[in-house]
């Protein structure tokens, strides 16, 4: 057989096999609008050869099968000093060497000069990406955002503000596990293609920097991409151009709306590109005009939102709440001296709404997580343990329709949950090795409307409970960054955020206000199943006006349920015995004729006298009241004695404590 003919047939077979692999392995994706790609009539590729000469190649019709090259021209020398050259939007070209990252910009009249210089060093970092092992692990999208995989396999993003001459954000962590990829390339605003180093499989992602969400994640687009050993570049708009060792350049364009390759391995040059050490493209020559930025849901300032309370490892009681004008207030006090409360506004000029989450990170620093009235989730962390100071606010994005829920799992990693305007549950989980939170990932669900409750369980898992649009509570197990199947807890018409109590063996009692306005409870068994039935709590003598708060008493082992009635008073119902699941009638939970405007928040704490039970509420004037609960000593003696004790002697005593007032409005 003629050897040249055999080589031609073999090459054709390789091309056919690669094309078949690409077409066969594309997985389903969410539906989008019709293809709306828009491309410039002409753009530029830049190629640096081994002698340092930089060449500009005019590219005509870059997004279509009519693509062609015009005559090239030399536009620079000395580019061999850069181990990596990458393209950016608007004619920007970036060079990376041992001294840092340099920015250039090509215009129709030549290189743009700033202060007489064509190149400006914009960072002394990024030097690792000039090395052979990391040079393909950095890219720039059509917006000008940098994406890079660090030495630990973590994907990070950066944005340079040219007008300010500074980085708008830097080292923002998006994901882990990207060490498996040996090449990433941006092909649109937040669109990333990543090549697996093992089998050459290509994956597509879409990240929205405004909401900090992963819109599309880890979509497999086929194998065989390891043939492009000289790199892959993009002109934006889901275009890709792969370069083989032989110098062949192949053109691709993907359509996310129908999940197809509309340009599939079209050879646009059979050779010549092998002589270049770096090839770059202008990254916004093609754009997708369809927006993938989630709309911001309206967030009115919630009136009389309840507080969150926890006891820190430092022993202080930490509390936070929003007021009726959107201030976020934080309080810290000694468990032995409630008058020591220092209540300060930590919101600055920002506005917040709803119930914030108060947690503690792995460095034992108090953290407040709350929903800004712009719909993003914000977080602020104590500057040092025991310090009254705070670090700056961190905007976690999200554009969420509900308040956040925060859970610290048994592996000490935090996870933030929230529901979007479309009724789906999202999460940001903590990096395994650092305090950073990864980008929002969609977990699933539909028609969800309530604020989620996240309850840490064994094996670094959490149960998420949230109401849907029918008022039915749904529950799902979160583990390993993914969510299991949803289970309906039965019934409908439930309102408000449910309260969940964890019992030994990770059994759960869940409390909510039902369709007839009464408090009811259901149970999650030790095997993880639910009873599917709801038991009335507290009788019919009190009409609840809000959501319940429930607590397993560390003193008596009984669950107490607290609720604000339509009369404005706080009421309390307790289990008739430890673990009985039956309930006494609601009784007044206060020692003064004072009405309250917020739902109560029950909590336990430890002071010099041992374990205690308490709840917190606010008056219509915004004043804080803390009630300590003195449970009957007969309850402590055990369930057997409690059942034989006269009901008239079984009432707890509630002691009111007037806390220092909130600070005046600036």
């Amino acid at each position: 057989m003629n050897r040249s003919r055999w080589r031609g047939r073999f090459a054709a077979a390789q091309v056919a096999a690669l094309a078949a692999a690409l077409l066969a392995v594309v997985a389903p994706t969410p539906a989008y609008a019709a293809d709306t790609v828009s491309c410039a009539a002409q753009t530029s590729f830049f190629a640096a050869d081994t002698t340092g000469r930089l060449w500009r190649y005019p590219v005509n019709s870059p997004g279509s099968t009519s693509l062609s090259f015009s005559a090239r021209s030399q536009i620079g020398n000395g580019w061999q000093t850069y181990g990596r050259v990458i393209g950016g939007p608007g004619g920007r070209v970036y060079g990376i060497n041992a001294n840092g990252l340099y920015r250039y910009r090509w215009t129709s009249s030549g290189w743009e000069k700033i202060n007489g210089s064509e190149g400006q060093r914009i960072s002394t970092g990024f030097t690792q990406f000039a090395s052979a092992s990391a040079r393909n692990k950095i890219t720039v999208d059509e917006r000008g955002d940098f994406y890079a995989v660090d030495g630990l396999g973590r994907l990070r993003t950066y944005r340079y503000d040219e007008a300010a001459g500074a980085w708008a954000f830097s080292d923002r962590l998006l994901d882990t596990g990207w060490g498996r990829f040996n090449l990433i390339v941006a092909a649109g605003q937040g669109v990333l293609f990543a090549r697996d180093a093992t089998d050459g499989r290509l994956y597509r992602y879409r990240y929205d920097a405004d909401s900090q969400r992963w819109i599309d994640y880890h979509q497999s687009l086929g194998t065989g991409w390891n043939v492009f050993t000289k790199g892959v570049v993009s002109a934006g708009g889901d275009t890709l151009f792969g370069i083989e060792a032989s110098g062949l350049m192949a053109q691709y364009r993907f359509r996310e709306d129908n999940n197809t390759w509309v340009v599939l391995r079209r050879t646009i040059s059979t050779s010549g590109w092998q002589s270049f050490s770096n090839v770059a493209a202008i990254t916004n020559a093609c754009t997708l005009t369809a927006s993938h930025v989630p709309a911001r849901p309206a967030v009115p300032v919630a009136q009389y939102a309840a507080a969150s309370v926890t006891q820190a490892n430092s022993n202080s009681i930490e509390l936070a709440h929003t007021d009726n004008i959107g201030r976020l207030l934080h309080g810290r006090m000694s468990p032995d001296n409630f008058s020591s409360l220092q209540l300060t506004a930590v919101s600055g000029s920002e506005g917040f709404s709803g119930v914030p989450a108060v947690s503690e990170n792995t460095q034992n620093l108090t953290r407040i997580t709350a929903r800004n009235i712009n719909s993003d989730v914000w977080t602020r962390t104590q500057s040092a343990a025991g310090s009254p100071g705070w670090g700056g606010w961190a905007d976690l994005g999200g554009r969420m329709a509900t308040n956040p829920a925060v859970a610290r799992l048994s592996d000490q990693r935090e996870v933030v949950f929230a529901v979007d305007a479309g009724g789906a549950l999202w999460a940001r989980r903590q990096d395994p090795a650092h305090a950073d939170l990864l980008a929002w990932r969609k977990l699933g669900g539909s028609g969800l409307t309530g604020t989620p409750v996240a309850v840490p369980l064994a094996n670094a898992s959490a149960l998420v409970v949230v109401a849907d649009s029918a008022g039915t509570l749904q529950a799902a197990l979160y583990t390993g960054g993914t969510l299991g199947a949803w289970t309906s807890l039965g019934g409908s018409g439930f309102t408000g955020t449910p309260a969940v109590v964890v019992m030994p063996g990770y059994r759960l009692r869940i409390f909510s206000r039902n369709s007839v306005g009464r408090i009811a409870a259901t149970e999650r068994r030790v095997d993880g199943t639910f009873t599917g039935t709801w038991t009335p709590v507290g009788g019919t003598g009190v009409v609840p006006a809000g959501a319940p708060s429930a607590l397993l008493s560390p003193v008596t082992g009984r669950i107490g349920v607290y609720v604000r009635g339509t009369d404005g008073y706080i009421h309390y119902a307790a289990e008739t015995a430890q673990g009985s699941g039956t309930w006494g009638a609601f009784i007044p939970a206060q020692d003064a004729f004072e009405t309250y405007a917020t739902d109560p928040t029950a909590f336990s704490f430890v002071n010099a006298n041992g374990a205690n039970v308490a709840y917190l509420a606010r008056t219509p004037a915004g004043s804080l009241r803390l009630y300590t609960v003195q449970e009957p000593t007969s309850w402590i003696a055990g369930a057997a004695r409690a059942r034989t004790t006269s009901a008239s002697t079984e009432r707890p005593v509630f002691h009111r404590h007037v806390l220092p007032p909130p600070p005046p409005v600036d």
Side-chain angles (χ1 to χ4, degrees):
M1 178 183 290
N2 183 285
R3 295 185 66 183
S4 63
R5 183 179 301 172
W6 181 86
R7 283 196 298 268
R9 290 178 179 175
F10 181 71
Q14 283 185 309
V15 171
L18 175 57
L22 292 172
L23 291 172
V25 191
V26 175
T29 58
Y32 291 104
D35 187 18
T36 54
V37 68
S38 175
C39 293
Q42 187 182 84
T43 185
S44 298
F45 282 6
F46 302 92
D49 63 27
T50 54
T51 66
R53 293 176 298 177
L54 185 68
W55 300 88
R56 173 181 172 263
Y57 285 79
V59 183
N60 308 302
S61 304
S64 76
T65 54
S66 301
L67 181 148
S68 63
F69 290 102
S70 295
R72 71 176 187 175
S73 59
Q74 184 181 345
I75 59 172
N77 287 294
W79 285 76
Q80 75 277 13
T81 62
Y82 295 117
R84 182 61 169 137
V85 177
I86 51 178
R92 290 166 180 81
V93 180
Y94 301 93
I96 306 173
N97 61 21
N99 296 316
L101 173 66
Y102 292 79
R103 177 257 191 204
Y104 297 79
R105 183 165 181 250
W106 178 260
T107 70
S108 58
S109 57
W111 290 111
E112 176 184 76
K113 291 187 177 182
I114 299 177
N115 297 325
S117 176
E118 294 176 351
Q120 296 81 43
R121 185 168 66 175
I122 60 175
S123 174
T124 57
F126 298 95
T127 56
Q128 69 271 30
F129 298 106
S131 67
S133 61
R135 65 191 311 274
N136 287 323
K137 296 184 178 183
I138 186 169
T139 187
V140 180
D141 74 359
E142 71 175 47
R143 189 175 187 170
D145 289 349
F146 289 75
Y147 296 86
V149 180
D150 67 19
L152 297 177
R154 297 171 300 184
L155 179 68
R156 295 186 178 274
T157 184
Y158 312 74
R159 178 176 294 168
Y160 185 72
D161 184 339
E162 293 184 352
W167 292 90
F169 57 77
S170 184
D171 279 327
R172 179 178 288 176
L173 182 63
L174 302 185
D175 204 8
T176 58
W178 284 61
R180 64 183 290 191
F181 301 123
N182 62 6
L183 178 146
I184 64 170
V185 57
Q189 185 168 310
V191 175
L192 298 176
F193 289 86
R195 184 179 67 191
D196 192 290
T198 302
D199 61 4
R201 186 176 297 274
L202 192 70
Y203 295 89
R204 184 180 183 274
Y205 299 77
R206 178 185 280 279
Y207 171 73
D208 176 56
D210 292 332
S211 64
Q212 300 182 44
R213 295 183 187 180
W214 284 113
I215 305 299
D216 293 321
Y217 190 84
H218 203 61
Q219 179 191 4
S220 176
L221 297 181
T223 59
W225 287 82
N226 48 6
V227 300
F228 299 120
T229 56
K230 297 290 288 185
V232 180
V233 299
S234 174
D238 270 329
T239 62
L240 295 175
F241 301 87
I243 306 171
E244 296 185 1
S246 64
L248 179 146
M249 178 181 284
Q251 177 192 10
Y252 299 80
R253 185 166 77 82
F254 185 73
R255 274 187 60 168
E256 64 181 2
D257 62 297
N258 62 10
N259 200 33
T260 61
W261 292 97
V262 290
V263 181
L264 178 63
R265 194 175 169 84
R266 175 176 176 262
T267 300
I268 53 178
S269 294
T270 57
S271 63
W273 294 91
Q274 72 276 14
S275 61
F276 298 115
S277 54
N278 280 288
V279 176
I282 294 175
T283 59
N284 66 338
C286 293
T287 60
L288 298 175
T289 57
S291 174
H292 297 278
V293 180
R296 291 189 180 277
V299 184
V301 175
Q303 301 297 289
Y304 299 110
S308 290
V309 188
T310 190
Q311 186 168 26
N313 280 326
S314 63
N315 206 41
S316 63
I317 295 176
E318 308 282 334
L319 63 92
H321 70 84
T322 58
D323 66 13
N324 291 352
I325 61 172
R327 290 190 304 170
L328 180 55
L329 303 174
H330 168 264
R332 177 176 293 129
M333 61 185 169
S334 165
D336 295 294
N337 180 11
F338 300 142
S339 63
S340 68
L341 176 68
Q342 297 290 321
L343 198 62
T344 58
V346 295
S347 46
S349 300
E350 297 294 331
F352 294 87
S353 181
V355 181
V358 180
S359 60
E360 199 168 43
N361 67 13
T362 52
Q363 288 77 43
N364 295 328
L365 302 178
T366 299
R367 176 177 288 165
I368 300 174
T369 306
R371 186 169 56 139
N372 193 295
I373 57 175
N374 69 6
S375 75
D376 281 348
V377 176
W378 287 41
T379 187
R380 195 170 192 183
T381 305
Q382 188 180 15
S383 57
S387 168
W390 293 86
W393 279 106
D395 182 354
L396 302 182
R399 303 194 173 192
M400 294 299 172
T402 70
N403 298 326
V406 177
R408 185 169 172 179
L409 306 182
S410 60
D411 63 359
Q412 304 307 307
R413 294 172 64 182
E414 278 194 337
V415 186
V416 181
F417 299 92
V419 173
D420 71 5
L425 182 69
W426 293 72
R428 287 192 73 152
R429 63 187 182 120
Q430 187 178 344
D431 173 36
H434 299 82
D436 306 65
L437 292 171
L438 309 181
W440 291 101
R441 289 275 305 277
K442 188 175 182 178
L443 298 179
S446 61
L448 305 177
T449 57
T451 293
V453 176
V455 184
L457 301 177
N459 302 317
S461 66
L463 187 77
V464 181
V465 181
V466 60
D468 64 18
S469 57
T472 299
L473 294 183
Q474 305 285 344
L477 188 67
Y478 174 87
T479 182
T482 61
L483 199 69
W486 290 99
T487 299
S488 170
L489 303 191
S492 62
F494 288 93
T495 58
T497 303
V500 183
V501 172
V502 182
M503 301 175 66
Y506 295 103
R507 294 167 295 149
L508 303 180
R509 289 271 170 77
I510 302 168
F511 303 84
S512 189
R513 187 170 62 156
N514 64 19
S515 59
V516 296
R518 305 296 179 180
I519 305 302
T522 190
E523 183 177 353
R524 179 183 186 264
R525 305 182 184 97
V526 69
D527 62 359
T529 61
F530 295 87
T531 62
T533 58
W534 289 85
T535 302
V537 174
T540 59
V542 171
V543 180
S549 183
L551 180 73
L552 178 64
S553 169
V555 180
T556 66
R558 298 190 188 194
I559 295 175
V561 180
Y562 304 77
V563 69
R564 177 173 55 94
T566 54
D567 55 7
Y569 297 124
I570 306 300
H571 303 270
Y572 166 90
E575 276 186 297
T576 56
Q578 285 184 3
S580 68
T582 58
W583 309 91
F586 277 117
I587 62 172
Q590 53 192 80
D591 62 358
F593 292 102
E594 182 178 59
T595 60
Y596 298 100
T598 69
D599 292 333
T601 302
F603 64 100
S604 62
F605 65 94
V606 176
N607 64 9
N609 297 320
N612 298 268
V613 174
Y615 75 83
L616 192 72
R618 296 201 312 281
T619 69
S623 298
L624 282 167
R625 300 290 186 262
L626 188 152
Y627 275 85
T628 50
V629 183
Q630 182 180 339
E631 296 170 288
T633 56
S634 59
W635 288 9
I636 304 172
R641 179 177 175 183
R643 292 191 185 99
T644 62
T645 305
S646 170
S648 62
T649 64
E650 296 296 291
R651 287 175 176 258
V653 178
F654 301 90
H655 300 283
R656 185 180 69 150
H657 305 269
V658 178
L659 300 185
V665 178
D666 292 336

